[in-house]
Amino acid sequence: HTRYWRDWSSDECSSDLGQKIRLMLQRRSLRRLSFNTETGNDQKSGLPPEGTSWHKNSMISESAKDTISVVITCYDEGAILRCAFESLAAQSDQDFEVVVVNDASPDSVTNAICREVEQEHKARVAWRTQRGGPAAAKNHGAHEALGSIIVPLDADDTLPSATIALVRRAFREAPTAAFVFGNYVKRDVQTGTESLVDCSVLCGPHHFLEPTKFLERWILLGTSPCRRSAWLEIGGHPEVLSYGLHDVGFFMSLLANGHRGYYVAETIYEWNKSPTGVNSCALEDRNFRLILNNLKFFDKYGDGLAIRNRLFHEAMRFGDFGIAKRLAKEALSTDFIAASVICPALLPERVTR
């Protein structure tokens, strides 16, 4: 039996963003995905039995080197989620699996779409019982994925039709790379404007990312594809930054641990930037927390002492004297000696306060 993607052009996806994305997709010749469902369902888990192909001519095994898992994380995106699936249906390379992580969504439309793709075997769906935020959802998806390469996709974004093929080719060209990155479209949902972000400015020799350039310009896309082994090795996206700059912290951690990124000179992602997105609700001190959690990166590629000095004064301003004391002690291990640092390092926290 063969099942096809249904035509998702219903009124459910009638929002302005949905219409804009669908018009873009309609310019492409959409290929239909087919699935092998001859063996039926595993009634206990609700998933196809082991060995069932999720995509046409695709079988994901842990031992395969270039198998790809697209991990979609969703919460309350509603009908826009269908546009993400439409962009997957349009891929020129259909050899991949889809894992959807539903982050305890309260939205009925989002949940209905997740149940639909699960029942029709278009994706495996991980249903979280408690919301953990984007970082926790992405990490959950990485653990669920069977592919050796993770291609993250936010529920309100889309992939150009050649993305999967380009990602697969890039990892084959650069077998030592832990992640690949490329150019991306930045589409402002509120104003309707869009621009192309050229990430070639981050490159060093042989198309590999230069960490010092990344330090100066944080334009690396947080959904850049990554090897699952490297993802799990560093513990994934920092969940303490789940509603802030967790994606930047993730790549800082990869680079600090000696991993490398390889540049693809093509557009591989379409980011629909929303004024109500997660980063718009980030805490005021998100930069402070990001840098504090990635001092290893700054020690390796920047000026760790200057960064600690900056964080020390920020911690004092925030009234976080415990962190200030820690930073002051670290500063004392260098030749940076100042009364404003010595006192918090040596005095009890209550005296500093």
Side-chain angles (χ1 to χ4, degrees):
H1 304 283
T2 305
R3 292 188 179 181
Y4 296 93
W5 290 81
R6 55 173 279 200
D7 182 10
W8 280 338
S9 57
S10 64
D11 292 336
E12 284 184 358
C13 196
S14 59
S15 69
D16 289 341
L17 175 58
Q19 290 176 351
K20 290 176 183 176
I21 296 175
R22 186 161 37 256
L23 284 173
M24 173 193 68
L25 291 169
Q26 286 174 349
R27 296 190 188 107
R28 307 166 181 163
S29 56
L30 287 177
R31 291 179 58 201
R32 298 291 186 180
L33 290 179
S34 62
F35 300 87
N36 177 2
T37 59
E38 292 180 357
T39 52
N41 288 344
D42 180 339
Q43 298 299 322
K44 183 177 181 180
S45 64
L47 302 177
E50 184 177 357
T52 298
S53 179
W54 290 97
H55 283 265
K56 187 176 182 180
N57 301 323
S58 170
M59 221 136 102
I60 303 295
S61 65
E62 199 65 50
S63 60
K65 291 183 178 179
D66 296 315
T67 51
I68 292 177
S69 296
V70 176
V71 174
I72 301 177
T73 51
C74 63
Y75 178 63
D76 61 355
E77 293 78 10
I80 298 302
L81 177 57
R82 295 195 185 282
C83 299
F85 280 101
E86 286 179 355
S87 76
L88 295 182
Q91 292 300 305
S92 59
D93 181 345
Q94 290 292 331
D95 189 11
F96 59 91
E97 73 158 354
V98 181
V99 177
V100 179
V101 180
N102 183 307
D103 195 20
S105 173
D107 183 74
S108 60
V109 176
T110 301
N111 291 333
I113 295 172
C114 288
R115 283 192 295 270
E116 180 181 317
V117 296
E118 183 178 46
Q119 291 168 1
E120 297 183 1
H121 301 164
K122 295 172 183 175
R124 288 189 289 124
V125 181
W127 299 87
R128 292 175 60 84
T129 57
Q130 184 174 356
R131 189 185 185 193
K138 284 181 170 64
N139 291 339
H140 193 140
H143 282 279
E144 292 283 340
L146 300 179
S148 61
I149 297 168
I150 306 295
V151 178
L153 176 59
D154 290 343
D156 52 357
D157 295 336
T158 52
L159 298 181
S161 60
T163 294
I164 298 298
L166 290 168
V167 168
R168 192 188 308 279
R169 186 180 72 186
F171 276 111
R172 287 175 178 172
E173 289 176 353
T176 61
F179 64 94
V180 300
F181 64 103
N183 305 329
Y184 56 94
V185 174
K186 181 180 178 181
R187 185 178 295 113
D188 191 312
V189 175
Q190 194 171 29
T191 64
T193 59
E194 64 177 49
S195 59
L196 180 66
V197 181
D198 182 1
C199 289
S200 64
V201 296
L202 301 177
C203 287
H206 310 295
H207 300 287
F208 281 96
L209 183 142
E210 178 58 52
T212 54
K213 294 181 179 180
F214 173 57
L215 187 60
E216 297 168 358
R217 302 183 67 178
W218 294 358
I219 62 172
L220 184 66
L221 191 66
T223 48
S224 297
C226 181
R227 293 194 189 276
R228 183 173 181 269
S229 57
W231 186 308
L232 299 180
E233 177 192 319
I234 66 166
H237 285 242
E239 297 183 16
V240 66
L241 301 172
S242 197
Y243 295 98
L245 297 171
H246 62 88
D247 46 2
V248 180
F250 174 73
F251 288 104
M252 282 185 172
S253 183
L254 281 172
L255 294 168
N257 283 275
H259 292 294
R260 300 200 298 170
Y262 183 73
Y263 173 66
V264 179
E266 301 282 352
T267 302
I268 63 171
Y269 199 87
E270 294 162 341
W271 174 30
N272 296 305
K273 186 176 183 296
S274 170
T276 58
V278 171
N279 283 339
S280 66
C281 305
L283 297 176
E284 208 175 290
D285 64 340
R286 64 179 187 172
N287 286 344
F288 174 81
R289 299 295 168 184
L290 168 69
I291 297 172
L292 183 65
N293 280 276
N294 289 280
L295 288 173
K296 182 179 178 181
F297 173 82
F298 290 94
D299 286 339
K300 190 169 184 176
Y301 299 112
D303 188 340
L305 179 57
I307 287 295
R308 282 176 174 78
N309 186 36
R310 171 185 160 189
L311 291 180
F312 166 77
H313 290 289
E314 288 291 300
M316 295 290 283
R317 183 169 69 87
F318 290 141
D320 201 333
F321 300 109
I323 291 178
K325 186 178 183 70
R326 188 194 106 191
L327 292 167
K329 284 184 175 180
E330 292 177 7
L332 283 180
S333 65
T334 70
D335 59 356
F336 180 81
I337 303 296
S340 62
V341 173
I342 293 175
C343 290
L346 301 179
L347 296 175
E349 183 179 325
R350 60 183 177 81
V351 177
T352 302
R353 188 182 296 273

